[in-house]
Amino acid sequence: MLQHPLLRGWRPTKPYQVTLAAILLMVSGIVTFDSSALAKKLVKEEVSASKVRSQKAKDARASRYALAVPTAAPASSEPQQTDPLDSPHPVPWNWILTTQEQVSSAKGAGVRFYRTPSLVSPDGQYAAYSRIQIQVQSEMYKSRVSSVMFVENLATGNLRTVSANSPLANHPLKKNEPADMPGVISILMPVSWSQKGDRLLARQFEGQFNTSDASDYAVVWDRQQNRAKTLSPGKIEYSQAVLLGWSQTKPDQVLFRAGELGDGKPPLWAVNLRGQTVAAKKDQPIVFGRSVANTWAGPQAHW
């Protein structure tokens, strides 16, 4: 069985590999952080914020699904997000690059946060979102990006966290040395609910600054069992995989675009919950759920 490139370690950048290369920023000052403690702090902060939002909803006699109604996105001059893998579900790449430049040039190092919009389940009962953090160092290849993904019960305000089981995954309560390496990018973001709202599909993007090594994993969280599975194309050779969504023809499978870097049109692959991979030439991705751009989404206050 051929291993995914991120499982084999980082490879030297080839001349045509420019996906994540270039962008070197120069300023002095280096600060180190305990990412595990920081992640635990983020979980506690989100629990407190969730309780406040739940109480406000009760005081206002809001309906059970009030938070499921999309709101207008907050005014922002930020351009439309690009993505290192040209994903239809982009990570906040513009914010990452802008924050790296601003913090490193002004202070040398620091921590900043970004919260994604909420993805509300089709039944209006749950919302999923991620809080992303960048630990900026003076040189970009030493900076690190990680995240914590939350699932909120909109009726009670109760929160759950979902984590990937991939090589560079950040887990709030467990230590993962590869995820703490300088230059690592590990972002878990919600992509789609299932049509019934009983499962959540998330994108685990992993890469490293100033290299072309980057790829996606799929994380499928079962709401009833509170369990998550991490999937990626297996028994095929590829350098990059991009998660697209659920399979339109087989709802229990997820679709990837996967091939070698530089391929004009990488083939489409379907992966089931057991990790079995088959070609999916005639299939199409599909997603479910409503994106809610709350006023607290986007860059957040820092400390």
Side-chain angles (χ1 to χ4, degrees), residues 165-195:
N165 184 24
S166 51
L168 303 181
N170 175 66
H171 196 292
L173 304 178
K174 295 180 181 179
K175 187 72 174 177
N176 183 4
E177 293 183 3
D180 292 334
M181 293 189 306
V184 163
I185 307 167
S186 177
I187 302 176
L188 181 63
M189 292 175 54
V191 167
S192 173
W193 289 92
S194 61
Q195 190 169 12

PDB file of all heavy atoms in Angstrom, residues 165-195:
ATOM      1  N   ASN A 165      -7.459  12.621  12.897  1.00  0.00           N
ATOM      2  CA  ASN A 165      -6.417  11.651  13.252  1.00  0.00           C
ATOM      3  C   ASN A 165      -5.489  11.523  12.046  1.00  0.00           C
ATOM      4  O   ASN A 165      -5.432  10.491  11.390  1.00  0.00           O
ATOM      5  CB  ASN A 165      -7.043  10.311  13.621  1.00  0.00           C
ATOM      6  CG  ASN A 165      -6.007   9.300  14.083  1.00  0.00           C
ATOM      7  OD1 ASN A 165      -4.935   9.676  14.547  1.00  0.00           O
ATOM      8  ND2 ASN A 165      -6.312   8.028  13.922  1.00  0.00           N
ATOM      9  N   SER A 166      -4.773  12.575  11.774  1.00  0.00           N
ATOM     10  CA  SER A 166      -3.862  12.644  10.628  1.00  0.00           C
ATOM     11  C   SER A 166      -2.479  13.059  11.130  1.00  0.00           C
ATOM     12  O   SER A 166      -2.338  13.463  12.288  1.00  0.00           O
ATOM     13  CB  SER A 166      -4.394  13.633   9.585  1.00  0.00           C
ATOM     14  OG  SER A 166      -4.718  14.872  10.182  1.00  0.00           O
ATOM     15  N   PRO A 167      -1.446  12.967  10.297  1.00  0.00           N
ATOM     16  CA  PRO A 167      -0.073  13.162  10.790  1.00  0.00           C
ATOM     17  C   PRO A 167       0.179  14.484  11.500  1.00  0.00           C
ATOM     18  O   PRO A 167       0.915  14.528  12.487  1.00  0.00           O
ATOM     19  CB  PRO A 167       0.762  13.063   9.508  1.00  0.00           C
ATOM     20  CG  PRO A 167      -0.034  12.208   8.602  1.00  0.00           C
ATOM     21  CD  PRO A 167      -1.462  12.541   8.880  1.00  0.00           C
ATOM     22  N   LEU A 168      -0.417  15.577  11.042  1.00  0.00           N
ATOM     23  CA  LEU A 168      -0.118  16.890  11.613  1.00  0.00           C
ATOM     24  C   LEU A 168      -1.304  17.475  12.372  1.00  0.00           C
ATOM     25  O   LEU A 168      -1.354  18.671  12.643  1.00  0.00           O
ATOM     26  CB  LEU A 168       0.309  17.859  10.508  1.00  0.00           C
ATOM     27  CG  LEU A 168       1.514  17.424   9.671  1.00  0.00           C
ATOM     28  CD1 LEU A 168       1.841  18.478   8.622  1.00  0.00           C
ATOM     29  CD2 LEU A 168       2.732  17.157  10.564  1.00  0.00           C
ATOM     30  N   ALA A 169      -2.277  16.632  12.719  1.00  0.00           N
ATOM     31  CA  ALA A 169      -3.499  17.132  13.347  1.00  0.00           C
ATOM     32  C   ALA A 169      -3.230  17.716  14.730  1.00  0.00           C
ATOM     33  O   ALA A 169      -2.439  17.179  15.512  1.00  0.00           O
ATOM     34  CB  ALA A 169      -4.526  16.013  13.451  1.00  0.00           C
ATOM     35  N   ASN A 170      -3.922  18.802  15.009  1.00  0.00           N
ATOM     36  CA  ASN A 170      -3.868  19.420  16.325  1.00  0.00           C
ATOM     37  C   ASN A 170      -5.020  18.879  17.166  1.00  0.00           C
ATOM     38  O   ASN A 170      -6.171  18.913  16.753  1.00  0.00           O
ATOM     39  CB  ASN A 170      -3.998  20.946  16.206  1.00  0.00           C
ATOM     40  CG  ASN A 170      -4.062  21.616  17.567  1.00  0.00           C
ATOM     41  OD1 ASN A 170      -3.100  21.593  18.325  1.00  0.00           O
ATOM     42  ND2 ASN A 170      -5.203  22.219  17.873  1.00  0.00           N
ATOM     43  N   HIS A 171      -4.704  18.344  18.340  1.00  0.00           N
ATOM     44  CA  HIS A 171      -5.722  17.813  19.250  1.00  0.00           C
ATOM     45  C   HIS A 171      -5.633  18.584  20.563  1.00  0.00           C
ATOM     46  O   HIS A 171      -4.572  18.664  21.170  1.00  0.00           O
ATOM     47  CB  HIS A 171      -5.495  16.323  19.507  1.00  0.00           C
ATOM     48  CG  HIS A 171      -6.686  15.640  20.103  1.00  0.00           C
ATOM     49  ND1 HIS A 171      -7.132  15.897  21.381  1.00  0.00           N
ATOM     50  CD2 HIS A 171      -7.537  14.716  19.593  1.00  0.00           C
ATOM     51  CE1 HIS A 171      -8.193  15.161  21.644  1.00  0.00           C
ATOM     52  NE2 HIS A 171      -8.464  14.435  20.580  1.00  0.00           N
ATOM     53  N   PRO A 172      -6.775  19.193  21.013  1.00  0.00           N
ATOM     54  CA  PRO A 172      -6.732  20.034  22.209  1.00  0.00           C
ATOM     55  C   PRO A 172      -6.218  19.342  23.451  1.00  0.00           C
ATOM     56  O   PRO A 172      -5.634  19.979  24.320  1.00  0.00           O
ATOM     57  CB  PRO A 172      -8.201  20.454  22.387  1.00  0.00           C
ATOM     58  CG  PRO A 172      -8.826  20.284  21.051  1.00  0.00           C
ATOM     59  CD  PRO A 172      -8.108  19.137  20.410  1.00  0.00           C
ATOM     60  N   LEU A 173      -6.436  18.039  23.578  1.00  0.00           N
ATOM     61  CA  LEU A 173      -6.110  17.347  24.820  1.00  0.00           C
ATOM     62  C   LEU A 173      -4.978  16.338  24.683  1.00  0.00           C
ATOM     63  O   LEU A 173      -4.660  15.632  25.628  1.00  0.00           O
ATOM     64  CB  LEU A 173      -7.364  16.639  25.353  1.00  0.00           C
ATOM     65  CG  LEU A 173      -8.581  17.542  25.568  1.00  0.00           C
ATOM     66  CD1 LEU A 173      -9.766  16.722  26.049  1.00  0.00           C
ATOM     67  CD2 LEU A 173      -8.268  18.663  26.550  1.00  0.00           C
ATOM     68  N   LYS A 174      -4.368  16.247  23.515  1.00  0.00           N
ATOM     69  CA  LYS A 174      -3.289  15.298  23.306  1.00  0.00           C
ATOM     70  C   LYS A 174      -2.082  15.985  22.680  1.00  0.00           C
ATOM     71  O   LYS A 174      -2.219  16.922  21.905  1.00  0.00           O
ATOM     72  CB  LYS A 174      -3.739  14.145  22.404  1.00  0.00           C
ATOM     73  CG  LYS A 174      -4.824  13.265  23.002  1.00  0.00           C
ATOM     74  CD  LYS A 174      -5.204  12.148  22.044  1.00  0.00           C
ATOM     75  CE  LYS A 174      -6.294  11.272  22.621  1.00  0.00           C
ATOM     76  NZ  LYS A 174      -6.682  10.189  21.675  1.00  0.00           N
ATOM     77  N   LYS A 175      -0.920  15.483  23.021  1.00  0.00           N
ATOM     78  CA  LYS A 175       0.318  16.027  22.475  1.00  0.00           C
ATOM     79  C   LYS A 175       0.654  15.330  21.166  1.00  0.00           C
ATOM     80  O   LYS A 175       0.596  14.115  21.064  1.00  0.00           O
ATOM     81  CB  LYS A 175       1.460  15.820  23.475  1.00  0.00           C
ATOM     82  CG  LYS A 175       2.760  16.497  23.089  1.00  0.00           C
ATOM     83  CD  LYS A 175       2.673  17.999  23.251  1.00  0.00           C
ATOM     84  CE  LYS A 175       4.025  18.665  22.993  1.00  0.00           C
ATOM     85  NZ  LYS A 175       3.922  20.132  23.070  1.00  0.00           N
ATOM     86  N   ASN A 176       0.967  16.112  20.139  1.00  0.00           N
ATOM     87  CA  ASN A 176       1.380  15.564  18.847  1.00  0.00           C
ATOM     88  C   ASN A 176       2.611  16.321  18.397  1.00  0.00           C
ATOM     89  O   ASN A 176       2.521  17.465  17.935  1.00  0.00           O
ATOM     90  CB  ASN A 176       0.248  15.702  17.821  1.00  0.00           C
ATOM     91  CG  ASN A 176       0.619  15.086  16.481  1.00  0.00           C
ATOM     92  OD1 ASN A 176       1.682  14.497  16.323  1.00  0.00           O
ATOM     93  ND2 ASN A 176      -0.248  15.230  15.499  1.00  0.00           N
ATOM     94  N   GLU A 177       3.776  15.705  18.563  1.00  0.00           N
ATOM     95  CA  GLU A 177       5.026  16.393  18.265  1.00  0.00           C
ATOM     96  C   GLU A 177       5.135  16.881  16.821  1.00  0.00           C
ATOM     97  O   GLU A 177       5.597  17.989  16.572  1.00  0.00           O
ATOM     98  CB  GLU A 177       6.216  15.492  18.626  1.00  0.00           C
ATOM     99  CG  GLU A 177       6.356  15.250  20.122  1.00  0.00           C
ATOM    100  CD  GLU A 177       7.578  14.428  20.463  1.00  0.00           C
ATOM    101  OE1 GLU A 177       8.339  14.093  19.519  1.00  0.00           O
ATOM    102  OE2 GLU A 177       7.771  14.122  21.651  1.00  0.00           O
ATOM    103  N   PRO A 178       4.718  16.071  15.814  1.00  0.00           N
ATOM    104  CA  PRO A 178       4.790  16.577  14.433  1.00  0.00           C
ATOM    105  C   PRO A 178       3.988  17.862  14.226  1.00  0.00           C
ATOM    106  O   PRO A 178       4.393  18.740  13.461  1.00  0.00           O
ATOM    107  CB  PRO A 178       4.215  15.429  13.609  1.00  0.00           C
ATOM    108  CG  PRO A 178       4.505  14.209  14.422  1.00  0.00           C
ATOM    109  CD  PRO A 178       4.339  14.646  15.842  1.00  0.00           C
ATOM    110  N   ALA A 179       2.846  17.988  14.915  1.00  0.00           N
ATOM    111  CA  ALA A 179       2.015  19.188  14.769  1.00  0.00           C
ATOM    112  C   ALA A 179       2.691  20.415  15.367  1.00  0.00           C
ATOM    113  O   ALA A 179       2.332  21.550  15.024  1.00  0.00           O
ATOM    114  CB  ALA A 179       0.657  18.974  15.425  1.00  0.00           C
ATOM    115  N   ASP A 180       3.670  20.209  16.246  1.00  0.00           N
ATOM    116  CA  ASP A 180       4.364  21.325  16.881  1.00  0.00           C
ATOM    117  C   ASP A 180       5.650  21.715  16.158  1.00  0.00           C
ATOM    118  O   ASP A 180       6.373  22.591  16.624  1.00  0.00           O
ATOM    119  CB  ASP A 180       4.696  20.967  18.338  1.00  0.00           C
ATOM    120  CG  ASP A 180       3.449  20.865  19.208  1.00  0.00           C
ATOM    121  OD1 ASP A 180       2.448  21.526  18.868  1.00  0.00           O
ATOM    122  OD2 ASP A 180       3.477  20.129  20.210  1.00  0.00           O
ATOM    123  N   MET A 181       5.939  21.068  15.037  1.00  0.00           N
ATOM    124  CA  MET A 181       7.150  21.415  14.293  1.00  0.00           C
ATOM    125  C   MET A 181       7.041  22.824  13.722  1.00  0.00           C
ATOM    126  O   MET A 181       5.942  23.262  13.349  1.00  0.00           O
ATOM    127  CB  MET A 181       7.385  20.424  13.146  1.00  0.00           C
ATOM    128  CG  MET A 181       7.714  19.018  13.587  1.00  0.00           C
ATOM    129  SD  MET A 181       8.233  17.988  12.174  1.00  0.00           S
ATOM    130  CE  MET A 181       6.846  18.204  11.048  1.00  0.00           C
ATOM    131  N   PRO A 182       8.125  23.553  13.611  1.00  0.00           N
ATOM    132  CA  PRO A 182       8.085  24.873  12.991  1.00  0.00           C
ATOM    133  C   PRO A 182       7.590  24.793  11.551  1.00  0.00           C
ATOM    134  O   PRO A 182       7.917  23.858  10.821  1.00  0.00           O
ATOM    135  CB  PRO A 182       9.556  25.325  13.033  1.00  0.00           C
ATOM    136  CG  PRO A 182      10.164  24.523  14.139  1.00  0.00           C
ATOM    137  CD  PRO A 182       9.464  23.207  14.111  1.00  0.00           C
ATOM    138  N   GLY A 183       6.775  25.758  11.163  1.00  0.00           N
ATOM    139  CA  GLY A 183       6.306  25.845   9.788  1.00  0.00           C
ATOM    140  C   GLY A 183       5.079  25.031   9.459  1.00  0.00           C
ATOM    141  O   GLY A 183       4.572  25.088   8.330  1.00  0.00           O
ATOM    142  N   VAL A 184       4.544  24.265  10.417  1.00  0.00           N
ATOM    143  CA  VAL A 184       3.409  23.384  10.142  1.00  0.00           C
ATOM    144  C   VAL A 184       2.101  24.167  10.021  1.00  0.00           C
ATOM    145  O   VAL A 184       1.846  25.100  10.781  1.00  0.00           O
ATOM    146  CB  VAL A 184       3.285  22.313  11.239  1.00  0.00           C
ATOM    147  CG1 VAL A 184       1.910  21.641  11.223  1.00  0.00           C
ATOM    148  CG2 VAL A 184       4.369  21.267  11.068  1.00  0.00           C
ATOM    149  N   ILE A 185       1.280  23.766   9.057  1.00  0.00           N
ATOM    150  CA  ILE A 185      -0.065  24.308   8.881  1.00  0.00           C
ATOM    151  C   ILE A 185      -1.045  23.150   9.022  1.00  0.00           C
ATOM    152  O   ILE A 185      -0.980  22.181   8.262  1.00  0.00           O
ATOM    153  CB  ILE A 185      -0.243  24.958   7.501  1.00  0.00           C
ATOM    154  CG1 ILE A 185       0.855  25.981   7.237  1.00  0.00           C
ATOM    155  CG2 ILE A 185      -1.619  25.612   7.383  1.00  0.00           C
ATOM    156  CD1 ILE A 185       0.923  26.435   5.787  1.00  0.00           C
ATOM    157  N   SER A 186      -1.954  23.228   9.986  1.00  0.00           N
ATOM    158  CA  SER A 186      -2.928  22.165  10.236  1.00  0.00           C
ATOM    159  C   SER A 186      -4.266  22.822  10.548  1.00  0.00           C
ATOM    160  O   SER A 186      -4.461  23.366  11.634  1.00  0.00           O
ATOM    161  CB  SER A 186      -2.470  21.288  11.407  1.00  0.00           C
ATOM    162  OG  SER A 186      -3.434  20.307  11.712  1.00  0.00           O
ATOM    163  N   ILE A 187      -5.181  22.781   9.583  1.00  0.00           N
ATOM    164  CA  ILE A 187      -6.458  23.490   9.719  1.00  0.00           C
ATOM    165  C   ILE A 187      -7.611  22.529   9.477  1.00  0.00           C
ATOM    166  O   ILE A 187      -7.713  21.913   8.409  1.00  0.00           O
ATOM    167  CB  ILE A 187      -6.559  24.662   8.728  1.00  0.00           C
ATOM    168  CG1 ILE A 187      -5.403  25.647   8.945  1.00  0.00           C
ATOM    169  CG2 ILE A 187      -7.899  25.378   8.879  1.00  0.00           C
ATOM    170  CD1 ILE A 187      -5.380  26.784   7.931  1.00  0.00           C
ATOM    171  N   LEU A 188      -8.501  22.408  10.456  1.00  0.00           N
ATOM    172  CA  LEU A 188      -9.717  21.611  10.338  1.00  0.00           C
ATOM    173  C   LEU A 188     -10.913  22.547  10.265  1.00  0.00           C
ATOM    174  O   LEU A 188     -11.129  23.360  11.167  1.00  0.00           O
ATOM    175  CB  LEU A 188      -9.850  20.671  11.533  1.00  0.00           C
ATOM    176  CG  LEU A 188     -11.069  19.739  11.532  1.00  0.00           C
ATOM    177  CD1 LEU A 188     -11.015  18.781  10.342  1.00  0.00           C
ATOM    178  CD2 LEU A 188     -11.165  18.962  12.841  1.00  0.00           C
ATOM    179  N   MET A 189     -11.683  22.443   9.172  1.00  0.00           N
ATOM    180  CA  MET A 189     -12.822  23.319   8.954  1.00  0.00           C
ATOM    181  C   MET A 189     -14.034  22.525   8.473  1.00  0.00           C
ATOM    182  O   MET A 189     -13.881  21.583   7.691  1.00  0.00           O
ATOM    183  CB  MET A 189     -12.482  24.390   7.899  1.00  0.00           C
ATOM    184  CG  MET A 189     -11.452  25.409   8.330  1.00  0.00           C
ATOM    185  SD  MET A 189     -11.027  26.538   6.958  1.00  0.00           S
ATOM    186  CE  MET A 189     -12.661  27.126   6.486  1.00  0.00           C
ATOM    187  N   PRO A 190     -15.255  22.902   8.908  1.00  0.00           N
ATOM    188  CA  PRO A 190     -16.460  22.202   8.428  1.00  0.00           C
ATOM    189  C   PRO A 190     -16.707  22.471   6.952  1.00  0.00           C
ATOM    190  O   PRO A 190     -16.520  23.594   6.478  1.00  0.00           O
ATOM    191  CB  PRO A 190     -17.575  22.785   9.302  1.00  0.00           C
ATOM    192  CG  PRO A 190     -17.065  24.115   9.744  1.00  0.00           C
ATOM    193  CD  PRO A 190     -15.575  23.959   9.882  1.00  0.00           C
ATOM    194  N   VAL A 191     -17.129  21.437   6.231  1.00  0.00           N
ATOM    195  CA  VAL A 191     -17.426  21.546   4.799  1.00  0.00           C
ATOM    196  C   VAL A 191     -18.899  21.313   4.520  1.00  0.00           C
ATOM    197  O   VAL A 191     -19.536  22.058   3.781  1.00  0.00           O
ATOM    198  CB  VAL A 191     -16.573  20.539   3.996  1.00  0.00           C
ATOM    199  CG1 VAL A 191     -17.082  20.401   2.562  1.00  0.00           C
ATOM    200  CG2 VAL A 191     -15.120  20.973   3.999  1.00  0.00           C
ATOM    201  N   SER A 192     -19.471  20.257   5.119  1.00  0.00           N
ATOM    202  CA  SER A 192     -20.855  19.915   4.817  1.00  0.00           C
ATOM    203  C   SER A 192     -21.434  19.016   5.893  1.00  0.00           C
ATOM    204  O   SER A 192     -20.732  18.169   6.456  1.00  0.00           O
ATOM    205  CB  SER A 192     -20.949  19.204   3.466  1.00  0.00           C
ATOM    206  OG  SER A 192     -22.264  18.729   3.224  1.00  0.00           O
ATOM    207  N   TRP A 193     -22.724  19.190   6.158  1.00  0.00           N
ATOM    208  CA  TRP A 193     -23.479  18.212   6.910  1.00  0.00           C
ATOM    209  C   TRP A 193     -24.003  17.164   5.947  1.00  0.00           C
ATOM    210  O   TRP A 193     -24.038  17.403   4.737  1.00  0.00           O
ATOM    211  CB  TRP A 193     -24.644  18.863   7.649  1.00  0.00           C
ATOM    212  CG  TRP A 193     -24.227  19.719   8.804  1.00  0.00           C
ATOM    213  CD1 TRP A 193     -23.973  21.058   8.776  1.00  0.00           C
ATOM    214  CD2 TRP A 193     -24.017  19.289  10.150  1.00  0.00           C
ATOM    215  NE1 TRP A 193     -23.603  21.501  10.019  1.00  0.00           N
ATOM    216  CE2 TRP A 193     -23.624  20.431  10.886  1.00  0.00           C
ATOM    217  CE3 TRP A 193     -24.119  18.061  10.796  1.00  0.00           C
ATOM    218  CZ2 TRP A 193     -23.340  20.372  12.251  1.00  0.00           C
ATOM    219  CZ3 TRP A 193     -23.836  17.998  12.158  1.00  0.00           C
ATOM    220  CH2 TRP A 193     -23.452  19.146  12.863  1.00  0.00           C
ATOM    221  N   SER A 194     -24.419  16.025   6.457  1.00  0.00           N
ATOM    222  CA  SER A 194     -25.141  15.068   5.624  1.00  0.00           C
ATOM    223  C   SER A 194     -26.553  15.617   5.409  1.00  0.00           C
ATOM    224  O   SER A 194     -26.979  16.564   6.083  1.00  0.00           O
ATOM    225  CB  SER A 194     -25.200  13.697   6.303  1.00  0.00           C
ATOM    226  OG  SER A 194     -25.873  13.788   7.547  1.00  0.00           O
ATOM    227  N   GLN A 195     -27.277  15.043   4.477  1.00  0.00           N
ATOM    228  CA  GLN A 195     -28.599  15.560   4.158  1.00  0.00           C
ATOM    229  C   GLN A 195     -29.539  15.498   5.364  1.00  0.00           C
ATOM    230  O   GLN A 195     -30.385  16.382   5.547  1.00  0.00           O
ATOM    231  CB  GLN A 195     -29.201  14.786   2.983  1.00  0.00           C
ATOM    232  CG  GLN A 195     -30.467  15.406   2.420  1.00  0.00           C
ATOM    233  CD  GLN A 195     -30.889  14.779   1.106  1.00  0.00           C
ATOM    234  OE1 GLN A 195     -30.369  13.736   0.714  1.00  0.00           O
ATOM    235  NE2 GLN A 195     -31.814  15.417   0.415  1.00  0.00           N
TER     236      GLN A 195
END
